[in-house]
Tab-separated table of all heavy atoms in Angstrom:
chain	number	residue	atom	x	y	z
A	58	GLN	N	-100.299	33.615	16.730
A	58	GLN	CA	-100.316	34.363	17.992
A	58	GLN	C	-101.615	34.131	18.769
A	58	GLN	O	-101.599	34.009	19.999
A	58	GLN	CB	-100.119	35.855	17.722
A	58	GLN	CG	-98.741	36.223	17.197
A	58	GLN	CD	-97.642	35.918	18.193
A	58	GLN	OE1	-97.796	36.124	19.388
A	58	GLN	NE2	-96.524	35.424	17.698
A	59	VAL	N	-102.726	34.080	18.067
A	59	VAL	CA	-104.008	33.837	18.733
A	59	VAL	C	-104.042	32.426	19.318
A	59	VAL	O	-104.534	32.222	20.443
A	59	VAL	CB	-105.187	34.078	17.771
A	59	VAL	CG1	-106.502	33.584	18.371
A	59	VAL	CG2	-105.297	35.567	17.431
A	62	VAL	N	-102.352	32.236	22.731
A	62	VAL	CA	-103.026	32.825	23.902
A	62	VAL	C	-104.495	32.400	23.965
A	62	VAL	O	-105.304	33.035	24.640
A	62	VAL	CB	-102.923	34.370	23.884
A	62	VAL	CG1	-101.474	34.803	24.031
A	62	VAL	CG2	-103.530	34.962	22.609
A	65	GLU	N	-106.131	31.927	27.418
A	65	GLU	CA	-106.435	33.171	28.113
A	65	GLU	C	-107.646	33.865	27.493
A	65	GLU	O	-108.503	34.411	28.209
A	65	GLU	CB	-105.228	34.112	28.074
A	65	GLU	CG	-105.457	35.383	28.885
A	65	GLU	CD	-104.236	36.278	28.977
A	65	GLU	OE1	-103.187	35.902	28.423
A	65	GLU	OE2	-104.354	37.358	29.588
A	66	ILE	N	-107.737	33.844	26.166
A	66	ILE	CA	-108.906	34.427	25.498
A	66	ILE	C	-110.176	33.734	25.963
A	66	ILE	O	-111.178	34.389	26.318
A	66	ILE	CB	-108.758	34.323	23.963
A	66	ILE	CG1	-107.686	35.290	23.464
A	66	ILE	CG2	-110.097	34.607	23.276
A	66	ILE	CD1	-107.375	35.147	21.988
A	69	CYS	N	-111.074	34.642	29.566
A	69	CYS	CA	-111.665	35.983	29.663
A	69	CYS	C	-113.085	35.994	29.122
A	69	CYS	O	-113.959	36.715	29.627
A	69	CYS	CB	-110.806	36.990	28.895
A	69	CYS	SG	-109.216	37.370	29.671
A	75	PRO	N	-115.887	44.340	32.082
A	75	PRO	CA	-115.234	45.163	31.059
A	75	PRO	C	-113.732	44.928	30.979
A	75	PRO	O	-113.144	45.033	29.900
A	75	PRO	CB	-115.554	46.597	31.495
A	75	PRO	CG	-115.940	46.507	32.938
A	75	PRO	CD	-116.548	45.175	33.109
A	76	GLU	N	-113.098	44.587	32.111
A	76	GLU	CA	-111.658	44.327	32.083
A	76	GLU	C	-111.343	43.092	31.256
A	76	GLU	O	-110.344	43.059	30.525
A	76	GLU	CB	-111.114	44.146	33.507
A	76	GLU	CG	-111.232	45.386	34.380
A	76	GLU	CD	-112.570	45.461	35.103
A	76	GLU	OE1	-113.428	44.561	34.867
A	76	GLU	OE2	-112.753	46.407	35.884
A	77	ASP	N	-112.192	42.065	31.368
A	77	ASP	CA	-111.979	40.841	30.597
A	77	ASP	C	-112.166	41.097	29.110
A	77	ASP	O	-111.385	40.608	28.281
A	77	ASP	CB	-112.942	39.745	31.065
A	77	ASP	CG	-112.680	39.337	32.507
A	77	ASP	OD1	-111.607	38.767	32.768
A	77	ASP	OD2	-113.541	39.604	33.356
A	78	ARG	N	-113.192	41.857	28.765
A	78	ARG	CA	-113.417	42.165	27.358
A	78	ARG	C	-112.276	43.006	26.791
A	78	ARG	O	-111.831	42.793	25.657
A	78	ARG	CB	-114.761	42.882	27.175
A	78	ARG	CG	-115.974	42.036	27.586
A	78	ARG	CD	-117.267	42.610	27.011
A	78	ARG	NE	-117.475	43.984	27.436
A	78	ARG	CZ	-118.115	44.341	28.546
A	78	ARG	NH1	-118.587	43.399	29.362
A	78	ARG	NH2	-118.291	45.619	28.855
A	79	ALA	N	-111.807	43.958	27.595
A	79	ALA	CA	-110.689	44.801	27.154
A	79	ALA	C	-109.431	43.965	26.965
A	79	ALA	O	-108.629	44.216	26.050
A	79	ALA	CB	-110.443	45.924	28.149
A	80	ARG	N	-109.243	42.976	27.834
A	80	ARG	CA	-108.061	42.121	27.730
A	80	ARG	C	-108.064	41.335	26.425
A	80	ARG	O	-107.017	41.176	25.782
A	80	ARG	CB	-108.015	41.163	28.926
A	80	ARG	CG	-106.840	40.185	28.918
A	80	ARG	CD	-105.513	40.898	28.873
A	80	ARG	NE	-104.401	39.959	28.864
A	80	ARG	CZ	-103.179	40.262	28.444
A	80	ARG	NH1	-102.907	41.493	28.005
A	80	ARG	NH2	-102.221	39.363	28.480
A	81	ILE	N	-109.216	40.847	26.011
A	81	ILE	CA	-109.299	40.125	24.736
A	81	ILE	C	-108.913	41.059	23.583
A	81	ILE	O	-108.166	40.671	22.679
A	81	ILE	CB	-110.704	39.540	24.531
A	81	ILE	CG1	-110.950	38.427	25.556
A	81	ILE	CG2	-110.868	38.998	23.107
A	81	ILE	CD1	-112.346	37.844	25.518
A	82	GLY	N	-109.399	42.285	23.606
A	82	GLY	CA	-109.020	43.250	22.584
A	82	GLY	C	-107.527	43.505	22.581
A	82	GLY	O	-106.896	43.614	21.515
A	83	ASP	N	-106.926	43.579	23.775
A	83	ASP	CA	-105.477	43.789	23.879
A	83	ASP	C	-104.702	42.608	23.298
A	83	ASP	O	-103.672	42.796	22.633
A	83	ASP	CB	-105.073	43.992	25.335
A	83	ASP	CG	-105.502	45.343	25.883
A	83	ASP	OD1	-105.793	46.250	25.064
A	83	ASP	OD2	-105.556	45.497	27.124
A	84	LEU	N	-105.180	41.397	23.554
A	84	LEU	CA	-104.501	40.208	23.041
A	84	LEU	C	-104.553	40.165	21.518
A	84	LEU	O	-103.564	39.806	20.859
A	84	LEU	CB	-105.131	38.945	23.633
A	84	LEU	CG	-104.876	38.715	25.130
A	84	LEU	CD1	-105.767	37.591	25.650
A	84	LEU	CD2	-103.404	38.407	25.386
A	85	LEU	N	-105.697	40.536	20.940
A	85	LEU	CA	-105.813	40.552	19.480
A	85	LEU	C	-104.938	41.661	18.895
A	85	LEU	O	-104.290	41.478	17.862
A	85	LEU	CB	-107.274	40.741	19.079
A	85	LEU	CG	-107.589	40.595	17.580
A	85	LEU	CD1	-107.150	39.243	17.044
A	85	LEU	CD2	-109.089	40.803	17.330
A	86	ARG	N	-104.901	42.798	19.559
A	86	ARG	CA	-104.045	43.895	19.091
A	86	ARG	C	-102.571	43.486	19.142
A	86	ARG	O	-101.804	43.798	18.218
A	86	ARG	CB	-104.259	45.140	19.943
A	86	ARG	CG	-103.268	46.262	19.605
A	86	ARG	CD	-103.657	47.583	20.233
A	86	ARG	NE	-104.187	47.433	21.572
A	86	ARG	CZ	-104.980	48.328	22.166
A	86	ARG	NH1	-105.323	49.435	21.526
A	86	ARG	NH2	-105.427	48.126	23.384
A	87	THR	N	-102.170	42.786	20.192
A	87	THR	CA	-100.789	42.316	20.291
A	87	THR	C	-100.446	41.371	19.147
A	87	THR	O	-99.339	41.426	18.583
A	87	THR	CB	-100.560	41.615	21.640
A	87	THR	OG1	-100.765	42.550	22.695
A	87	THR	CG2	-99.155	41.049	21.737
A	88	ALA	N	-101.390	40.508	18.784
A	88	ALA	CA	-101.162	39.603	17.653
A	88	ALA	C	-100.922	40.391	16.368
A	88	ALA	O	-100.050	40.040	15.560
A	88	ALA	CB	-102.362	38.666	17.488
A	89	VAL	N	-101.664	41.475	16.189
A	89	VAL	CA	-101.496	42.304	14.988
A	89	VAL	C	-100.169	43.059	15.024
A	89	VAL	O	-99.473	43.169	14.012
A	89	VAL	CB	-102.684	43.278	14.843
A	89	VAL	CG1	-102.428	44.293	13.727
A	89	VAL	CG2	-103.973	42.500	14.558
A	90	THR	N	-99.779	43.562	16.185
A	90	THR	CA	-98.504	44.278	16.266
A	90	THR	C	-97.329	43.331	16.028
A	90	THR	O	-96.310	43.732	15.453
A	90	THR	CB	-98.344	44.977	17.628
A	90	THR	OG1	-98.418	44.019	18.676
A	90	THR	CG2	-99.430	46.018	17.827
A	91	ARG	N	-97.469	42.090	16.434
A	91	ARG	CA	-96.406	41.124	16.164
A	91	ARG	C	-96.369	40.741	14.682
A	91	ARG	O	-95.292	40.475	14.133
A	91	ARG	CB	-96.580	39.895	17.051
A	91	ARG	CG	-96.270	40.217	18.507
A	91	ARG	CD	-96.352	39.037	19.434
A	91	ARG	NE	-95.983	39.437	20.788
A	91	ARG	CZ	-96.073	38.642	21.850
A	91	ARG	NH1	-96.514	37.399	21.708
A	91	ARG	NH2	-95.708	39.096	23.042
A	117	LEU	N	-112.507	38.693	15.851
A	117	LEU	CA	-112.585	37.582	16.790
A	117	LEU	C	-113.986	37.560	17.393
A	117	LEU	O	-114.494	38.601	17.824
A	117	LEU	CB	-111.544	37.737	17.904
A	117	LEU	CG	-111.418	36.585	18.903
A	117	LEU	CD1	-110.793	35.362	18.238
A	117	LEU	CD2	-110.578	37.008	20.104
A	124	TRP	N	-114.773	41.398	18.467
A	124	TRP	CA	-113.672	42.355	18.520
A	124	TRP	C	-113.076	42.482	17.124
A	124	TRP	O	-112.915	41.479	16.409
A	124	TRP	CB	-112.572	41.884	19.473
A	124	TRP	CG	-112.957	41.824	20.908
A	124	TRP	CD1	-112.704	42.747	21.886
A	124	TRP	CD2	-113.670	40.773	21.564
A	124	TRP	NE1	-113.209	42.348	23.096
A	124	TRP	CE2	-113.814	41.131	22.924
A	124	TRP	CE3	-114.204	39.553	21.126
A	124	TRP	CZ2	-114.458	40.320	23.838
A	124	TRP	CZ3	-114.847	38.748	22.035
A	124	TRP	CH2	-114.975	39.137	23.377
A	125	VAL	N	-112.739	43.693	16.736
A	125	VAL	CA	-112.089	43.951	15.445
A	125	VAL	C	-110.835	44.777	15.688
A	125	VAL	O	-110.875	45.772	16.416
A	125	VAL	CB	-113.027	44.700	14.476
A	125	VAL	CG1	-112.260	45.172	13.236
A	125	VAL	CG2	-114.191	43.807	14.053
A	126	VAL	N	-109.741	44.356	15.091
A	126	VAL	CA	-108.522	45.165	15.060
A	126	VAL	C	-108.272	45.520	13.601
A	126	VAL	O	-108.261	44.642	12.729
A	126	VAL	CB	-107.323	44.426	15.675
A	126	VAL	CG1	-106.047	45.253	15.531
A	126	VAL	CG2	-107.583	44.133	17.147
A	186	PRO	N	-103.077	50.166	15.638
A	186	PRO	CA	-104.343	49.790	14.996
A	186	PRO	C	-105.535	50.230	15.832
A	186	PRO	O	-105.436	50.421	17.047
A	186	PRO	CB	-104.261	48.267	14.921
A	186	PRO	CG	-103.405	47.893	16.085
A	186	PRO	CD	-102.400	48.996	16.230
A	187	ASP	N	-106.668	50.397	15.166
A	187	ASP	CA	-107.917	50.657	15.876
A	187	ASP	C	-108.453	49.342	16.442
A	187	ASP	O	-108.352	48.293	15.796
A	187	ASP	CB	-108.965	51.257	14.931
A	187	ASP	CG	-108.587	52.637	14.438
A	187	ASP	OD1	-107.774	53.305	15.108
A	187	ASP	OD2	-109.094	53.048	13.379
A	188	VAL	N	-109.036	49.414	17.635
A	188	VAL	CA	-109.642	48.240	18.262
A	188	VAL	C	-111.105	48.549	18.556
A	188	VAL	O	-111.416	49.549	19.208
A	188	VAL	CB	-108.921	47.849	19.564
A	188	VAL	CG1	-109.568	46.604	20.176
A	188	VAL	CG2	-107.440	47.600	19.305
A	189	LEU	N	-111.992	47.703	18.059
A	189	LEU	CA	-113.424	47.870	18.268
A	189	LEU	C	-113.965	46.652	19.018
A	189	LEU	O	-113.536	45.517	18.771
A	189	LEU	CB	-114.170	47.989	16.927
A	189	LEU	CG	-113.730	49.113	15.998
A	189	LEU	CD1	-114.094	48.794	14.582
A	189	LEU	CD2	-114.383	50.406	16.411
A	190	GLU	N	-114.906	46.889	19.911
A	190	GLU	CA	-115.566	45.798	20.610
A	190	GLU	C	-117.062	46.098	20.633
A	190	GLU	O	-117.471	47.229	20.921
A	190	GLU	CB	-115.043	45.679	22.043
A	190	GLU	CG	-115.603	44.475	22.775
A	190	GLU	CD	-116.138	44.838	24.151
A	190	GLU	OE1	-115.640	45.798	24.758
A	190	GLU	OE2	-117.099	44.161	24.578
Side-chain angles (χ1 to χ4, degrees):
Q58 292 297 320
V59 170
V62 295
E65 185 174 359
I66 289 174
C69 289
E76 296 88 357
D77 296 294
R78 297 197 302 271
R80 178 58 180 160
I81 292 176
D83 288 342
L84 290 169
L85 188 57
R86 173 168 39 203
T87 298
V89 171
T90 59
R91 290 183 178 174
L117 185 70
W124 294 261
V125 170
V126 176
D187 294 338
V188 181
L189 303 157
E190 185 229 331

